[in-house]
Amino acid sequence: MKITVIGTGYVGLVSGTCLAEVGNEVLCLDVDPAKIKILKDGGIPIYEPGLQDMVKRNVAAGRLHFTTDIERAAHFGSVQFIAVGTPPDEDGSADMQYVTAAARNIGRYMTGYKVVVDKSTVPVGTADAVRAAIAEELQKRGVNTPFSVVSNPEFLKEGAAIDDFMKPDRIVVGCDDEQAALNMRALYAPFQRNHDRLILMDVRSAELTKYAANAMLATRISFMNELANLAEKLGADIESVRRGIGSDPRIGYDFLYAGAGYGGSCFPKDVKALIKTAAVDAGIDLKVLNAVELANDQQKHVLGNKIKARFGSDLSGKHFALWGLAFKANTDDMREATSRQVIKDLLSAGASVTAYDPVAMAEAMLCFPNEPGLSYADTQGEALNNADALVIVTEWKEFRSPDFEIIKAKLKSPVIFDGRNLYDPKLVRGMGFEYLAIGR
Ligand SMILES: NC(=O)c1ccc[n+]([C@@H]2O[C@H](COP(=O)([O-])OP(=O)(O)OC[C@H]3O[C@@H](n4cnc5c(N)ncnc54)[C@H](O)[C@@H]3O)[C@@H](O)[C@H]2O)c1
């Protein structure tokens, strides 16, 4: 098939590349010329394990192309994926301007039948809005070209995105017409040869499914974080509790880790958008999700608060080593990362910070362009120099088994604040550290 992917970010680039990998011819469009230049020069604008090689291979095979030419993109694919950003608006609702612009561009230039696929995470009712925008543009041109609009939310996880796309747990397709459903089945057949994982439903249910999935995962995290705070006060260990409840198959072990709050480009904005949709479009107050969000906002201060409780609320003259900037391991994504809040809390209390992250430092520099109290180290060891304590924010593998003797020798005081519960408290405390983790 010939496929256009509109928006070449995390989702668009991964989806487009994986669709090319199985033999389709794919054209990825972006309005950001800098991104397209990087791709045309053989690089990739994001960090995602395995992606660079896959892009290279498919470009070399002549199946994967990049462009900023909107008209060419609208002509190219019989399937047009919309994978642009849907960032939060000021009031928390999803900002739909990029989706609408993408839809209008399709309508402005398309010739021949198109299946337009909403892959971005979009509020219920967006497919109708996309359909109306395309129809309006076609009407302006005085043409009556047929098209279908399908909802196909994406469930990939940054850091494991290729595997998630190539071997999906499920492919949700919301579709109201048969022709488009057939096209979507054919498109996804190579990704589900073992057994059918395509779940066909109506468009509105598909749109809601994506928000429901992220809201559920965010709820598990906030639930565990609240229990961790309780466990700490009661003298229990949240890790033991996690193992105890995870063994129940109705609960399961995944997404039960207590930590310093969730971040990233999806959970915070999707929880907010669902709360907003419910309130505005349905007059419903989603009480559970409001609490999930509130608990998470508070949890992002948990490291800062622990540090102030230990070193005093005035941190002037104190210096901290911070390991991990990305919102989770295996990505350079800094959107809503907990590290941003921790750094702000420390700097505003007068401390200085030296941070290290294996891949996210360039992104972090964009988030904190002018922060005299914040510096960066080339290695995790270098970050420890002259620090009063070590603060761990991201669960990168290389932080999991460090040389504790070196850490102890370098720190002014042997104190570790661990926002990811990476270590065995007994072991670390046995080595003479003061170890302050989450719920332990
Ligand atoms: N990042 C994830 O892990 C993930 C996972 C599942 C779903 N999603 C959803 O997928 C969508 C995209 O997320 P992302 O993280 O890939 O975003 P992103 O910000 O990385 O990429 C979006 C891209 O779209 C481009 N763009 C904006 N308007 C455009 C237009 N009119 N035409 C062409 N390009 C345009 C931007 O320049 C940008 O490069 C969002 O709705 C998000 O919620 C993201």
mmCIF file of all heavy atoms in Angstrom, residues 323 356-359 379-380 395-403 422-423:
data_model
loop_
_atom_site.group_PDB
_atom_site.id
_atom_site.type_symbol
_atom_site.label_atom_id
_atom_site.label_comp_id
_atom_site.label_asym_id
_atom_site.label_seq_id
_atom_site.Cartn_x
_atom_site.Cartn_y
_atom_site.Cartn_z
ATOM 1 N N TRP A 323 20.559 11.864 39.096
ATOM 2 C CA TRP A 323 20.698 10.833 38.058
ATOM 3 C C TRP A 323 19.344 10.624 37.387
ATOM 4 O O TRP A 323 18.383 10.185 38.021
ATOM 5 C CB TRP A 323 21.153 9.508 38.666
ATOM 6 C CG TRP A 323 22.620 9.434 38.996
ATOM 7 C CD1 TRP A 323 23.544 10.439 38.859
ATOM 8 C CD2 TRP A 323 23.323 8.304 39.520
ATOM 9 N NE1 TRP A 323 24.777 9.992 39.266
ATOM 10 C CE2 TRP A 323 24.671 8.685 39.668
ATOM 11 C CE3 TRP A 323 22.940 7.006 39.872
ATOM 12 C CZ2 TRP A 323 25.641 7.814 40.162
ATOM 13 C CZ3 TRP A 323 23.905 6.135 40.370
ATOM 14 C CH2 TRP A 323 25.243 6.541 40.510
ATOM 15 N N TYR A 356 22.850 14.181 35.370
ATOM 16 C CA TYR A 356 23.369 13.292 34.323
ATOM 17 C C TYR A 356 22.221 12.421 33.817
ATOM 18 O O TYR A 356 21.423 11.903 34.598
ATOM 19 C CB TYR A 356 24.481 12.385 34.871
ATOM 20 C CG TYR A 356 24.819 11.290 33.886
ATOM 21 C CD1 TYR A 356 25.578 11.566 32.750
ATOM 22 C CD2 TYR A 356 24.309 10.000 34.052
ATOM 23 C CE1 TYR A 356 25.834 10.575 31.808
ATOM 24 C CE2 TYR A 356 24.572 9.003 33.115
ATOM 25 C CZ TYR A 356 25.325 9.296 31.993
ATOM 26 O OH TYR A 356 25.559 8.331 31.053
ATOM 27 N N ASP A 357 22.138 12.295 32.502
ATOM 28 C CA ASP A 357 21.198 11.351 31.893
ATOM 29 C C ASP A 357 21.878 10.781 30.654
ATOM 30 O O ASP A 357 22.532 11.515 29.916
ATOM 31 C CB ASP A 357 19.895 12.060 31.492
ATOM 32 C CG ASP A 357 18.813 11.075 31.044
ATOM 33 O OD1 ASP A 357 18.920 10.534 29.916
ATOM 34 O OD2 ASP A 357 17.874 10.828 31.827
ATOM 35 N N PRO A 358 21.740 9.462 30.422
ATOM 36 C CA PRO A 358 22.430 8.869 29.262
ATOM 37 C C PRO A 358 22.012 9.468 27.924
ATOM 38 O O PRO A 358 22.815 9.522 27.008
ATOM 39 C CB PRO A 358 22.044 7.390 29.329
ATOM 40 C CG PRO A 358 21.522 7.169 30.694
ATOM 41 C CD PRO A 358 21.036 8.460 31.232
ATOM 42 N N VAL A 359 20.751 9.903 27.775
ATOM 43 C CA VAL A 359 20.346 10.440 26.461
ATOM 44 C C VAL A 359 19.550 11.744 26.491
ATOM 45 O O VAL A 359 19.385 12.375 25.449
ATOM 46 C CB VAL A 359 19.530 9.410 25.623
ATOM 47 C CG1 VAL A 359 20.298 8.121 25.412
ATOM 48 C CG2 VAL A 359 18.179 9.132 26.232
ATOM 49 N N THR A 379 29.346 12.044 32.902
ATOM 50 C CA THR A 379 29.145 10.663 33.371
ATOM 51 C C THR A 379 28.372 10.684 34.691
ATOM 52 O O THR A 379 28.331 11.719 35.373
ATOM 53 C CB THR A 379 30.485 9.950 33.642
ATOM 54 O OG1 THR A 379 31.139 10.657 34.732
ATOM 55 C CG2 THR A 379 31.392 9.958 32.421
ATOM 56 N N GLN A 380 27.838 9.531 35.062
ATOM 57 C CA GLN A 380 27.103 9.483 36.320
ATOM 58 C C GLN A 380 28.048 9.692 37.500
ATOM 59 O O GLN A 380 27.666 10.260 38.521
ATOM 60 C CB GLN A 380 26.301 8.191 36.445
ATOM 61 C CG GLN A 380 27.099 6.901 36.497
ATOM 62 C CD GLN A 380 26.189 5.685 36.307
ATOM 63 O OE1 GLN A 380 25.799 5.356 35.209
ATOM 64 N NE2 GLN A 380 25.873 5.003 37.399
ATOM 65 N N GLU A 395 14.772 5.450 36.055
ATOM 66 C CA GLU A 395 15.217 4.074 36.331
ATOM 67 C C GLU A 395 16.094 3.503 35.215
ATOM 68 O O GLU A 395 15.892 2.366 34.776
ATOM 69 C CB GLU A 395 14.001 3.176 36.607
ATOM 70 C CG GLU A 395 13.112 2.844 35.405
ATOM 71 C CD GLU A 395 12.198 3.960 34.934
ATOM 72 O OE1 GLU A 395 12.458 5.131 35.240
ATOM 73 O OE2 GLU A 395 11.229 3.658 34.211
ATOM 74 N N TRP A 396 17.070 4.267 34.736
ATOM 75 C CA TRP A 396 17.965 3.740 33.696
ATOM 76 C C TRP A 396 18.692 2.506 34.221
ATOM 77 O O TRP A 396 19.090 2.471 35.390
ATOM 78 C CB TRP A 396 18.995 4.801 33.289
ATOM 79 C CG TRP A 396 18.448 5.876 32.408
ATOM 80 C CD1 TRP A 396 18.009 7.112 32.796
ATOM 81 C CD2 TRP A 396 18.282 5.826 30.978
ATOM 82 N NE1 TRP A 396 17.577 7.823 31.703
ATOM 83 C CE2 TRP A 396 17.731 7.059 30.572
ATOM 84 C CE3 TRP A 396 18.542 4.851 30.008
ATOM 85 C CZ2 TRP A 396 17.442 7.353 29.242
ATOM 86 C CZ3 TRP A 396 18.245 5.140 28.685
ATOM 87 C CH2 TRP A 396 17.703 6.371 28.316
ATOM 88 N N LYS A 397 18.932 1.535 33.334
ATOM 89 C CA LYS A 397 19.586 0.280 33.754
ATOM 90 C C LYS A 397 20.936 0.548 34.400
ATOM 91 O O LYS A 397 21.324 -0.088 35.368
ATOM 92 C CB LYS A 397 19.767 -0.645 32.546
ATOM 93 C CG LYS A 397 18.532 -1.443 32.212
ATOM 94 C CD LYS A 397 18.915 -2.792 31.585
ATOM 95 C CE LYS A 397 17.682 -3.592 31.257
ATOM 96 N NZ LYS A 397 17.044 -3.193 29.987
ATOM 97 N N GLU A 398 21.687 1.500 33.837
ATOM 98 C CA GLU A 398 23.036 1.724 34.348
ATOM 99 C C GLU A 398 23.070 2.313 35.763
ATOM 100 O O GLU A 398 24.129 2.404 36.357
ATOM 101 C CB GLU A 398 23.816 2.611 33.380
ATOM 102 C CG GLU A 398 23.209 3.966 33.143
ATOM 103 C CD GLU A 398 23.669 4.562 31.812
ATOM 104 O OE1 GLU A 398 23.016 4.293 30.789
ATOM 105 O OE2 GLU A 398 24.659 5.287 31.794
ATOM 106 N N PHE A 399 21.915 2.695 36.290
ATOM 107 C CA PHE A 399 21.882 3.183 37.673
ATOM 108 C C PHE A 399 21.567 2.052 38.652
ATOM 109 O O PHE A 399 21.585 2.248 39.856
ATOM 110 C CB PHE A 399 20.808 4.272 37.847
ATOM 111 C CG PHE A 399 20.986 5.490 36.961
ATOM 112 C CD1 PHE A 399 19.885 6.303 36.653
ATOM 113 C CD2 PHE A 399 22.223 5.840 36.452
ATOM 114 C CE1 PHE A 399 20.037 7.421 35.853
ATOM 115 C CE2 PHE A 399 22.383 6.962 35.640
ATOM 116 C CZ PHE A 399 21.283 7.756 35.340
ATOM 117 N N ARG A 400 21.244 0.878 38.120
ATOM 118 C CA ARG A 400 20.683 -0.163 38.994
ATOM 119 C C ARG A 400 21.710 -0.880 39.856
ATOM 120 O O ARG A 400 21.373 -1.373 40.925
ATOM 121 C CB ARG A 400 19.924 -1.189 38.155
ATOM 122 C CG ARG A 400 18.656 -0.584 37.610
ATOM 123 C CD ARG A 400 17.773 -1.583 36.967
ATOM 124 N NE ARG A 400 16.724 -0.883 36.226
ATOM 125 C CZ ARG A 400 15.854 -1.469 35.430
ATOM 126 N NH1 ARG A 400 15.900 -2.772 35.278
ATOM 127 N NH2 ARG A 400 14.945 -0.770 34.806
ATOM 128 N N SER A 401 22.939 -0.951 39.358
ATOM 129 C CA SER A 401 23.949 -1.632 40.155
ATOM 130 C C SER A 401 25.250 -0.828 40.128
ATOM 131 O O SER A 401 26.257 -1.273 39.587
ATOM 132 C CB SER A 401 24.157 -3.048 39.597
ATOM 133 O OG SER A 401 24.973 -3.773 40.464
ATOM 134 N N PRO A 402 25.243 0.345 40.724
ATOM 135 C CA PRO A 402 26.430 1.198 40.655
ATOM 136 C C PRO A 402 27.485 0.753 41.666
ATOM 137 O O PRO A 402 27.223 -0.104 42.506
ATOM 138 C CB PRO A 402 25.862 2.573 41.046
ATOM 139 C CG PRO A 402 24.739 2.254 41.975
ATOM 140 C CD PRO A 402 24.178 0.934 41.548
ATOM 141 N N ASP A 403 28.663 1.345 41.568
ATOM 142 C CA ASP A 403 29.715 1.070 42.542
ATOM 143 C C ASP A 403 29.458 1.954 43.773
ATOM 144 O O ASP A 403 29.767 3.140 43.776
ATOM 145 C CB ASP A 403 31.084 1.380 41.916
ATOM 146 C CG ASP A 403 32.225 0.954 42.829
ATOM 147 O OD1 ASP A 403 32.035 0.989 44.071
ATOM 148 O OD2 ASP A 403 33.294 0.592 42.310
ATOM 149 N N LEU A 422 15.269 1.661 43.381
ATOM 150 C CA LEU A 422 16.144 0.782 42.595
ATOM 151 C C LEU A 422 16.917 -0.217 43.454
ATOM 152 O O LEU A 422 17.355 -1.249 42.967
ATOM 153 C CB LEU A 422 17.158 1.621 41.802
ATOM 154 C CG LEU A 422 16.619 2.566 40.725
ATOM 155 C CD1 LEU A 422 17.762 3.187 39.939
ATOM 156 C CD2 LEU A 422 15.705 1.815 39.766
ATOM 157 N N TYR A 423 17.120 0.101 44.728
ATOM 158 C CA TYR A 423 18.046 -0.714 45.531
ATOM 159 C C TYR A 423 17.340 -1.419 46.686
ATOM 160 O O TYR A 423 16.272 -1.003 47.124
ATOM 161 C CB TYR A 423 19.176 0.164 46.077
ATOM 162 C CG TYR A 423 19.815 1.029 45.016
ATOM 163 C CD1 TYR A 423 19.995 2.394 45.213
ATOM 164 C CD2 TYR A 423 20.217 0.475 43.802
ATOM 165 C CE1 TYR A 423 20.576 3.196 44.230
ATOM 166 C CE2 TYR A 423 20.792 1.264 42.816
ATOM 167 C CZ TYR A 423 20.962 2.620 43.035
ATOM 168 O OH TYR A 423 21.509 3.405 42.063
#
